[in-house]
Amino acid sequence: MNSSTEVPSFKLNSGTLMPAIGLGVANADNSPDSKITAAVLHAIEVGYSHFDTASIYGTECVLGDALFKAISMGVTSRQDLFITSKLWSDSHDPENVVSALQQTLTNLKLDYLDLYLIHSPMKLKKGTRQPAKAEDVLPSDIKGTWSAMETCFERGLAKSIGVSNFTVKELAQLLAHARVPPAVNQVEMHPLWQQKKLRKFCNGVGIHVTAWSPLGAPGTYYGTDALTNPVIKSISSKHNKSPAQVTKGIGRPQVPMQHSLVEE
């Protein structure tokens, strides 16, 4: 991407426009804050406006500092940014949801989020980090959690609300009682895990699908290195594209993007 690149957007069921390509700020390699700040500022300079973080990532504060700096320098404005964060699984109790979002907003130095997601349908004991152990898992109350998410939306703390890592069954259960339907379901998706059943269901009920780790998250404990897959390497060679372009479905101007993605 460069500063002259026009990034397409998707209109969510909330009416909000979401840039199709976002930069994930997860810090899987424990980079220093200075490196993350530099990466975010450079990303804004070359055309990124969508940034994705989460409470569990531990990067909300440094992302907030970088965004504040960029806005203060006149490089961008709050209105031109799309910021996503996520409710961690140890804060699913309804009485904890609004306060968790308020802490996220404090960390990010923002008055509202463009998108707030339930990070996972799994409820965990307070203080549990990832990867969680079996003994840390608690009975889920997604109905109660989602009701509190709707309160966040209705109070203007988040312009859109959604979920992450939800299956078709879990989405159907949520929709059965939701007053405000989820705008987004962010899931792992790439050529080695195409989520065809889930995408079909979401398309049918108006939930936008975003791919996290579209490259397969190589080098992480949960990742699959799609970039070294022989079929992807063969396609990239045949069409003079990089394996990353093939994996993310970028570089095909005649084919419109069908979903958004958050890059590693």
Side-chain angles (χ1 to χ4, degrees):
M1 189 185 295
N2 57 60
S3 56
S4 63
T5 301
E6 183 176 348
V7 180
S9 296
F10 290 98
K11 188 173 185 178
L12 304 179
N13 61 23
S14 60
T16 300
L17 287 177
M18 181 177 72
I21 301 175
L23 182 66
V25 189
N27 197 19
D29 59 355
N30 295 313
S31 295
D33 286 358
S34 58
K35 185 176 180 179
I36 298 173
T37 298
V40 171
L41 293 175
H42 179 69
I44 292 173
E45 290 174 358
V46 300
Y48 282 88
S49 60
H50 180 181
F51 294 90
D52 180 283
T53 183
S55 173
I56 192 64
Y57 296 166
T59 57
E60 289 179 336
C61 289
V62 65
L63 175 58
D65 290 342
L67 296 177
F68 181 81
K69 184 175 182 179
I71 292 171
S72 299
M73 293 168 56
V75 178
T76 188
S77 68
R78 176 64 185 97
Q79 293 73 25
D80 291 330
L81 294 169
F82 189 100
I83 309 301
T84 299
S85 194
K86 308 176 191 76
L87 175 76
W88 181 233
S89 298
D90 72 343
S91 297
H92 275 205
D93 284 337
E95 61 270 24
N96 293 332
V97 174
V98 173
S99 59
L101 174 50
Q102 289 171 329
Q103 182 60 58
T104 281
L105 292 174
T106 297
N107 294 343
L108 289 166
K109 297 181 170 64
L110 299 176
D111 295 324
Y112 66 89
L113 287 181
D114 297 280
L115 178 63
Y116 194 44
L117 306 176
I118 296 178
H119 205 144
S120 166
M122 183 184 300
K123 181 179 179 179
L124 300 174
K125 293 178 182 177
K126 202 67 178 174
T128 301
R129 311 295 288 177
Q130 57 181 359
K133 300 176 182 178
E135 57 266 29
D136 297 322
V137 179
L138 299 174
S140 180
D141 175 25
I142 288 299
K143 182 177 181 180
T145 304
W146 187 253
S147 179
M149 292 285 287
E150 292 170 325
T151 298
C152 295
F153 173 76
E154 291 160 353
R155 289 177 56 176
L157 299 175
K159 288 190 173 182
S160 298
I161 53 176
V163 297
S164 183
N165 303 306
F166 273 52
T167 64
V168 169
K169 181 179 179 180
E170 289 160 344
L171 285 172
Q173 291 172 340
L174 188 157
L175 288 170
H177 56 72
R179 291 180 289 109
V180 179
V184 169
N185 185 21
Q186 186 183 120
V187 296
E188 180 181 6
M189 189 165 63
H190 45 73
L192 306 185
W193 183 228
Q194 297 182 24
Q195 300 276 19
K196 292 181 179 180
K197 179 181 177 182
L198 180 65
R199 284 190 287 125
K200 182 178 180 180
F201 176 85
C202 288
N203 287 340
V205 296
I207 298 174
H208 179 76
V209 176
T210 297
W212 61 255
S213 292
L215 302 181
T220 64
Y221 72 90
Y222 54 83
T224 301
D225 192 354
L227 299 181
T228 60
N229 180 272
V231 175
I232 291 174
K233 292 176 70 175
S234 175
I235 294 171
S236 67
S237 177
K238 179 179 179 180
H239 295 279
N240 196 30
K241 301 293 181 182
S242 70
Q245 286 177 305
V246 172
T247 302
K248 294 188 289 187
I250 295 175
R252 303 176 301 161
Q254 74 281 13
V255 181
M257 294 182 70
Q258 300 299 309
H259 60 268
S260 57
L261 54 89
V262 173
E263 299 178 309
E264 296 99 321

